[in-house]
């Protein structure tokens, strides 16, 4: 039996939808996976429906918190992903993430941040695509010495 208990989907910062991740897991020979998206369980149901007889999907979550100034990620497995408290927590976490991203974009536009780049060929994480204000788009650029040199102080 092959197992991977720490996978992310486009519900947070993964690059595959929940169902596509299950299909990829099956094609990679996995029997059991845990969808452990950041601060949300939004992808669990779709993942469970993808290949219910081939890949067992464990409902999980990766909770973000801080303790004494240190960022921590706590993994929870076999959770009740449909519980109202979990849904409420997910909604609040997404709202905070959206505000943080808007704050970064405001700094970018004011000149406080000199560069915003995504690695060429890699799609923006799902949560980032959902939280960008209307009309704002990430443009992938290749990260090389010339590109970095244009944005870093000499």
């Amino acid at each position: 039996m092959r197992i991977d208990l720490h996978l992310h989907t486009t519900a947070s910062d993964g690059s595959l939808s929940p169902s596509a991740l299950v299909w990829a897991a099956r094609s990679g020979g996995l029997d059991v996976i845990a969808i452990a998206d950041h601060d949300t369980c939004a992808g669990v149901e779709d993942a469970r429906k993808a290949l219910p007889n081939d890949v067992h999907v464990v409902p999980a979550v990766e909770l973000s918190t801080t303790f004494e100034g240190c960022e921590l990620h706590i993994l929870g497995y076999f959770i009740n992903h449909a519980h109202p408290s979990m849904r409420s927590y997910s909604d609040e976490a997404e709202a905070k993430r959206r505000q943080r991203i808007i704050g970064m974009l405001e700094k970018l536009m004011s000149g406080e941040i000199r560069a915003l780049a995504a690695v060429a060929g890699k799609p923006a994480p799902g949560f980032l695509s959902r939280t960008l204000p209307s009309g704002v788009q990430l443009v992938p650029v290749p990260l090389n010495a010339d590109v970095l040199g244009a944005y870093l102080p000499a």
Side-chain angles (χ1 to χ4, degrees):
M1 179 173 291
R2 296 187 62 195
I3 300 170
D4 189 330
L5 297 178
H6 192 165
L7 297 171
H8 298 283
T9 73
T10 52
S12 67
D13 62 347
S15 57
L16 295 176
S17 69
S19 58
L21 181 64
V22 172
W23 280 90
R26 186 68 204 140
S27 98
L30 294 174
D31 303 296
V32 178
I33 63 171
I35 302 294
D37 281 316
H38 293 278
D39 301 313
T40 185
C41 296
V44 172
E45 276 308 310
D46 285 345
R48 285 185 150 179
K49 292 175 186 173
L51 291 170
N53 298 321
D54 295 320
V55 178
H56 180 75
V57 176
V58 173
V61 66
E62 184 172 347
L63 301 174
S64 302
T65 190
T66 56
F67 178 72
E68 295 182 357
C70 295
E71 184 177 1
L72 299 174
H73 295 237
I74 302 167
L75 291 161
Y77 295 97
F78 299 99
I79 62 168
N80 179 352
H81 62 283
H83 193 279
S85 294
M86 186 66 233
R87 289 180 190 243
S88 175
Y89 173 85
S90 295
D91 291 345
E92 289 174 26
E94 178 119 4
K96 287 178 184 176
R97 186 174 287 121
R98 179 176 174 73
Q99 284 307 114
R100 192 174 73 240
I101 290 168
I102 289 170
M104 286 184 224
L105 290 170
E106 287 170 351
K107 286 182 180 181
L108 176 68
M109 289 185 239
S110 73
E112 267 185 72
I113 297 176
R114 299 187 58 202
L116 177 64
V119 177
K122 183 170 180 165
F127 78 87
L128 183 56
S129 297
R130 289 191 312 277
T131 57
L132 289 174
S134 178
V136 175
Q137 185 176 6
L138 284 181
V139 178
V141 296
L143 293 180
N144 58 43
D146 294 332
V147 171
L148 291 174
Y151 295 102
L152 296 175

